[in-house]
Amino acid sequence: SPRPDVGGAGGGAPVEKRKTPDKRTFIAMELLTTEESYVGGLEGLVENFQKPLTETQSLTGEELGTLFGNVSPILLFHQSLVADLRDRIHDNWETNDCVGDILLRGLPYLKLYTTYVNNYSRIQEVLEGVNKNVKCQQTLMTCAYKAMNGPLGLQSLLMTPIQRIPRYVMLFKDLLDKTPPHHADHDALERSYASVCDIANIINERKRIEENVQKIAAILAKVDEETKGFITQALVENTHTWEKSKADETVSCVLCKKDISKGTKVYHCPVCKSNAHGAPRRCYEKVPKTCGMAADMADLVRPGRILLRTGEAEHRAVHTAEQYDGVATNKFSKEIQEKRRADIFLFTDVALLLWERKGHADSDYEFCSLFYFHNRVKGKFASVNRLAPTVLEVHPPTAEAVHSLYFETEDLCDTWLEQFSIRIRESREMFEKDELVMDEHGSAVDPSRPVWFTLPNTCPVPGSGGQFMAYVVNMKFCDGSERVILKRYNQFFILHQKLKKQVGKKNLPYFPPKKWVGNMKPKFVVKRRAELSSYLNGLDIKYLQLPCVKHFLSTGCETMEGERLGEEFDIEDLDSSAGELPEKTDGNAGSSSGTQDGHADLQGTGQDG
């Protein structure tokens, strides 16, 4: 049969040849289609699971907050992102084939994923409860749209934010590889790719931490309660660190239980929060030496503590005459233990030795020793030396005992000598490092604080009146871990009011007042971020333990309606005197006006702030 005429010679209309998209265009289209699919999944998570579970009250408010935490801000950002990508790739690609500028604008909001990832282990715990909750099961199975049959669909959808960042890494890399160096999009794509890799590294680190927690839990599962008690005691360093000051308020003496009046001298231990009389009672000198540290310090599982290596050796301990509260005599007691088989667990900051226990029904181990490589109270460090080709001698910093470890081969002895030496050296380097830590505003931050704060940018969040601006608060802890929360200016304001009532205005750092006009100008927003950052970093360390501060640092601004603030903080209980509340010209703390400080539409938040 004759072929159809495509050139017009046979009288037929010419057929227009369609241009085949190049590889770069294909990758851009894949970025758009996967983004549309991802947004659809997040919308399904909110519509098909969050709303029904909330309406039926199948879960508590805390459980709902854990499951769906900052899903709404993440969804809002990606809805905006997919709209920009669709406009560029689908509608205007022929005239502008650049997407790097769009990706760069969205990169600050990817910080939201660090909070989601940090919370994911708690999400899994709640999901386990959902599987056992009959009411939840009924609600999930009767949803208008069942995603993969109830709980399985919920679990899969909650996993998608974790999977999205690695997908970005691949897509950004492919797009960058297919973009010539002279292309107008190359530099922006290169910066986008580097930034998304940083976010991916944070997620991978979180996965590593979760695996580490499981390893430590497996160790603790093999010991009885008595051994766990010994481990807890050993994790608590043994001397109070008394600080002399005047009492800000009336407190009770930890020894005699009598009141220490406000304004009088008091000895305060910032570690265990104890207070004791100074002269003439001098109760602080009579308080037992053992200091009860914060609960997280007495837990083997804690952020920043990584199990690096495990092994086994024959162990013998020689106890010295030095005690925690005595003076070294360089003499040894006659107590020299017999050799016993021991397992060695080397962590980033401590070493744990457990004797093997055979034929015991309750546990596989018996406590031997646990010591830090650096004792902060005494200011001393552990040491290690080689006694023989297969024997190491380890001296803990408290010098209560010397541990001799007998290995089977010289290679094993070499390995453990190197590992102990590295941990001791790094502990010393961390202690001796004396550098100022600077925040992004150029202000010095005390590195000894348990946490310091930065406000790198702002983020849009949904509310009943539209989208509003929230400050991204990045918390960096002394162990190196980080957490991100979103806060509106009103929440900072309420916190300041509560603190003024509890500790007094003179004991607080400068708090920036509200501004009615010009509060969305970029220069003002940058200045406001710096002021709020300085405020948080300027709070006394002991104030971080107050309930109102703990609540502020553990919650976000997910609802943006004000109801949550009304539930958690008694607004009427705030000091409403004329001298304490801002003047009318500075704005109303409860207003939801779009021109008020802390509010902006989605486009407005594209500015630096």
Side-chain angles (χ1 to χ4, degrees):
S1 60
R3 294 183 179 180
D5 187 352
V6 297
V15 178
E16 181 181 354
K17 291 185 178 181
R18 299 183 63 181
K19 183 179 179 181
T20 303
D22 58 18
K23 291 184 178 180
R24 187 172 185 277
T25 302
F26 270 122
I27 297 170
M29 289 297 297
E30 183 181 2
L31 174 63
L32 173 60
T33 55
T34 57
E35 189 69 19
E36 290 173 334
S37 176
Y38 177 57
V39 169
L42 291 179
E43 290 173 341
L45 178 62
V46 172
E47 293 296 326
N48 305 333
F49 293 99
Q50 182 179 6
K51 289 184 177 180
L53 288 172
T54 303
E55 292 170 356
T56 59
Q57 298 182 345
S58 303
L59 296 172
T60 65
E62 182 180 355
E63 289 171 331
L64 287 169
T66 299
L67 279 182
F68 304 105
N70 60 344
V71 169
S72 293
I74 288 176
L75 173 58
L76 182 65
F77 156 62
H78 284 281
Q79 287 173 331
S80 174
L81 177 62
V82 78
D84 290 343
L85 289 174
R86 188 182 294 118
D87 178 70
R88 180 69 57 81
I89 299 171
H90 196 274
D91 300 334
N92 298 291
W93 192 250
E94 293 295 331
T95 58
N96 185 355
D97 62 344
C98 295
V99 293
D101 58 325
I102 297 175
L103 302 180
L104 278 178
R105 287 200 302 268
L107 285 176
Y109 306 121
L110 293 182
K111 275 273 189 178
L112 292 168
Y113 281 86
T114 59
T115 300
Y116 190 89
V117 171
N118 289 340
N119 192 50
Y120 192 68
S121 59
R122 295 177 58 201
I123 290 177
Q124 291 177 311
E125 292 175 2
V126 174
L127 283 174
E128 291 179 5
V130 168
N131 292 331
K132 301 175 184 178
N133 188 321
V134 176
K135 188 175 182 180
C136 284
Q137 292 287 328
Q138 293 173 344
T139 301
L140 293 172
M141 298 306 294
T142 56
C143 287
Y145 300 96
K146 295 176 183 159
M148 296 178 66
N149 298 321
L152 181 60
L154 175 60
Q155 185 170 357
S156 298
L157 288 172
L158 288 170
M159 184 65 183
T160 54
I162 304 293
Q163 298 168 331
R164 188 57 185 163
I165 298 298
R167 188 66 182 274
Y168 279 145
V169 172
M170 292 187 294
L171 288 171
F172 287 19
K173 179 67 166 61
D174 290 344
L175 196 57
L176 180 61
D177 288 344
K178 300 302 178 184
T179 302
H182 61 271
H183 196 286
D185 206 22
H186 188 272
D187 289 346
L189 284 176
E190 196 170 42
R191 291 161 58 194
S192 300
Y193 174 65
S195 297
V196 79
C197 284
D198 290 340
I199 301 293
N201 289 336
I202 293 174
I203 293 176
N204 291 334
E205 176 66 13
R206 182 61 187 175
K207 291 179 181 178
R208 188 173 72 90
I209 291 173
E210 288 297 325
E211 292 172 356
N212 179 73
V213 169
Q214 293 175 7
K215 290 178 182 178
I216 299 176
I219 297 171
L220 296 176
K222 296 180 180 180
V223 302
D224 55 20
E225 292 302 320
E226 182 183 23
T227 301
K228 289 179 182 178
F230 285 134
I231 292 174
T232 297
Q233 287 180 357
L235 286 167
V236 177
E237 299 186 64
N238 296 79
T239 305
H240 292 280
T241 53
W242 296 116
E243 294 180 355
K244 183 180 177 182
S245 63
K246 289 187 178 181
D248 295 330
E249 56 185 353
T250 300
V251 294
S252 176
C253 177
V254 69
L255 183 69
C256 67
K257 307 303 180 184
K258 294 183 179 180
D259 286 344
I260 303 173
S261 302
K262 181 178 179 180
T264 60
K265 291 182 180 179
V266 62
Y267 281 77
H268 174 74
C269 177
V271 178
C272 66
K273 313 305 179 187
S274 298
N275 298 289
H277 282 104
R281 294 177 182 270
R282 308 188 75 85
C283 290
Y284 76 97
E285 293 181 348
K286 307 168 188 175
V287 175
K289 295 290 183 181
T290 301
C291 169
M293 262 191 168
D296 65 331
M297 294 295 292
D299 191 348
L300 192 59
V301 180
R302 63 180 300 238
R305 178 171 292 147
I306 306 297
L307 179 60
L308 301 173
R309 190 177 184 87
T310 62
E312 58 182 12
E314 293 292 329
H315 170 268
R316 173 183 285 166
V318 180
H319 291 271
T320 67
E322 183 182 10
Q323 302 297 322
Y324 284 111
D325 55 350
V327 179
T329 63
N330 295 321
K331 295 180 180 179
F332 291 91
S333 71
K334 294 181 180 180
E335 186 181 355
I336 302 176
Q337 296 177 340
E338 295 182 359
K339 282 185 183 179
R340 291 186 62 179
R341 197 70 176 172
D343 280 9
I344 311 167
F345 301 92
L346 192 69
F347 296 85
T348 46
D349 59 335
V350 298
L352 172 63
L353 305 177
L354 296 175
W355 285 316
E356 294 181 1
R357 177 187 282 174
K358 296 181 179 179
H360 198 280
D362 294 335
S363 66
D364 297 338
Y365 294 116
E366 180 182 349
F367 182 76
C368 173
S369 179
L370 184 147
F371 57 87
Y372 287 87
F373 300 116
H374 170 222
N375 185 284
R376 293 175 299 169
V377 175
K378 288 181 171 289
K380 295 183 179 180
F381 296 89
S383 63
V384 60
N385 56 75
R386 194 171 199 151
L387 294 182
T390 59
V391 182
L392 293 182
E393 187 176 74
V394 183
H395 297 254
T398 50
E400 81 281 6
V402 176
H403 300 282
S404 297
L405 301 172
Y406 301 80
F407 296 94
E408 293 181 355
T409 66
E410 288 188 34
D411 288 343
L412 276 176
C413 192
D414 289 340
T415 300
W416 280 99
L417 175 60
E418 180 184 15
Q419 293 295 322
F420 273 113
S421 299
I422 290 173
R423 300 317 315 155
I424 295 170
R425 183 175 68 250
E426 290 186 355
S427 296
R428 187 177 293 276
E429 288 173 354
M430 289 179 63
F431 173 75
E432 293 176 348
K433 187 177 182 181
D434 187 18
E435 296 180 356
L436 284 177
V437 178
M438 309 298 290
D439 63 18
E440 84 282 8
H441 308 297
S443 302
V445 179
D446 181 5
S448 66
R449 290 177 64 88
V451 58
W452 59 91
F453 305 88
T454 57
L455 278 68
N457 48 270
T458 58
C459 181
V461 290
S464 60
Q467 288 87 42
F468 303 97
M469 184 180 76
Y471 293 93
V472 177
V473 181
N474 188 74
M475 296 181 281
K476 187 169 184 178
F477 299 91
C478 57
D479 57 23
S481 61
E482 294 188 36
R483 185 170 182 266
V484 178
I485 57 174
L486 301 179
K487 288 291 179 181
R488 279 177 57 191
Y489 176 84
N490 277 356
Q491 293 173 289
F492 283 94
F493 174 76
I494 291 176
L495 172 68
H496 182 61
Q497 294 297 316
K498 296 292 285 186
L499 285 174
K500 280 201 298 184
K501 186 166 185 177
Q502 293 186 44
V503 306
K505 184 177 180 180
K506 67 178 182 179
N507 296 315
L508 295 173
Y510 169 76
F511 184 81
K514 300 185 74 66
K515 183 178 177 66
W516 183 258
V517 179
N519 53 44
M520 289 309 301
K521 291 182 178 179
K523 288 185 179 180
F524 172 79
V525 175
V526 171
K527 178 174 177 287
R528 170 57 52 82
R529 289 193 288 115
E531 290 172 335
L532 293 176
S533 174
S534 297
Y535 177 80
L536 292 177
N537 288 316
L539 292 175
D540 193 297
I541 294 176
K542 60 177 175 285
Y543 298 160
L544 301 181
Q545 300 299 322
L546 294 175
C548 62
V549 180
K550 285 185 174 181
H551 174 85
F552 178 87
L553 299 179
S554 62
T555 58
C557 54
E558 293 86 1
T559 60
M560 303 311 300
E561 305 294 338
E563 293 86 357
R564 176 164 298 188
L565 293 179
E567 294 171 0
E568 302 295 346
F569 298 100
D570 186 359
I571 304 300
E572 295 181 354
D573 192 44
L574 294 177
D575 190 350
S576 58
S577 62
E580 295 295 320
L581 293 178
E583 297 179 0
K584 186 175 181 180
T585 56
D586 282 334
N588 188 334
S591 172
S592 60
S593 171
T595 58
Q596 183 181 328
D597 180 38
H599 294 177
D601 59 22
L602 187 57
Q603 293 178 347
T605 59
Q607 303 171 348
D608 181 21

